Amino acid sequence: MENESVMALYHAIKQLRSDSANGRGVQEQKWLQNQLSDESLKAMIPQLSIIALHILSGLEAEELTGVALADRLAVTRGGITRAAKKLIQMGLIQATKKPDDQKKIYYSLTAKGRVIAQSHDKMHETLKAQVIDKVTEKYKDAELKQAASLINDLMQFERDFY
C-alpha cells in the first residue's frame, strides 16, 4: 500500500525536476535580460543555453580547458565543445593554446562574456538568498536538516538504481 505522504513527496520531486529541465532556461534568460543595460548583450541572451551560461560563470576565476569545464559542470565534453563554439562566435569567450602545449585548448572570457557571467552569478546569489529567507521563515533548523537528509538519500537511491 502506498503511503500518501511518500507519494506526495515523490510527485513534488518529480515536478521540481520537470520544472527545472523544461522552464529554467527561459526563466534565467528573462531575468538576465532584465538586469542587463547593454542592448547588444540583451539580444544575445535568448541564444545562450544553460550550459553556455554556466561555462561563462565557470571561466570567471580562471581560464580552463574543455575537459576541466566538463568535469566542473558535470556535462559531456561534446556539450562543452558545442557551447564553446557558439560562445566564441558570439564573442563571449576566446580559445587559446599554450606555447608549451599545443594540444589543449584553453577558454577564457572576453569583456562581454564577463558582464554576462557576473549577471548570471548575481542571479544565482539573489535566488539563493531568497530561498534561504523563505525556508528559514517557515521551517525550523531540524526540519531543514531532515529534509536535506531525505533528499540526499533519495538522490543516492537513484544513483544506485541506475
Side-chain angles (χ1 to χ4, degrees):
M1 179 171 209
E2 293 178 353
N3 178 311
E4 206 174 303
S5 298
V6 171
M7 290 311 297
L9 176 65
Y10 177 78
H11 289 297
I13 290 171
K14 191 174 172 184
Q15 186 63 49
L16 179 64
R17 279 190 173 149
S18 175
D19 289 353
S20 263
N22 297 327
R24 192 175 89 198
V26 173
Q27 291 168 335
E28 285 194 22
Q29 289 169 341
K30 285 180 183 177
W31 194 94
L32 288 168
Q33 284 181 308
N34 288 331
Q35 300 302 307
L36 294 168
S37 57
D38 183 317
E39 292 299 323
S40 67
L41 294 181
K42 280 184 180 189
M44 290 181 187
I45 298 299
Q47 301 171 56
L48 299 177
S49 66
I50 293 292
I51 291 174
L53 291 169
H54 287 202
I55 287 171
L56 294 175
S57 290
L59 293 173
E60 269 191 282
E62 61 184 328
E63 65 179 9
L64 295 169
T65 64
V67 172
L69 278 167
D71 289 345
R72 188 172 286 181
L73 301 177
V75 297
T76 65
R77 284 187 246 169
I80 295 293
T81 301
R82 285 186 298 279
K85 183 178 178 181
K86 188 168 189 173
L87 290 167
I88 290 167
Q89 290 171 347
M90 295 173 79
L92 299 175
I93 66 171
Q94 57 191 9
T96 57
K97 292 183 179 183
K98 303 283 184 193
D100 58 333
D101 185 358
Q102 290 293 302
K103 281 187 174 183
K104 293 181 184 172
I105 297 173
Y106 289 84
Y107 298 108
S108 61
L109 292 174
T110 63
K112 287 181 178 184
R114 187 166 302 282
V115 170
I116 294 174
Q118 289 171 342
S119 188
H120 182 246
D121 291 346
K122 179 182 174 188
M123 180 202 64
H124 281 289
E125 290 296 321
T126 302
L127 177 61
K128 180 181 170 183
Q130 289 180 9
V131 166
I132 289 169
D133 286 348
K134 289 289 181 192
V135 298
T136 54
E137 254 177 37
K138 188 171 182 176
Y139 301 100
K140 295 180 174 120
D141 193 52
E143 293 171 312
L144 294 171
K145 286 179 183 174
Q146 189 171 21
S149 177
L150 175 63
I151 291 168
N152 286 328
D153 287 348
L154 291 171
M155 289 171 55
Q156 186 61 51
F157 170 77
E158 277 199 12
R159 281 192 292 271
D160 293 346
F161 179 81
Y162 297 111

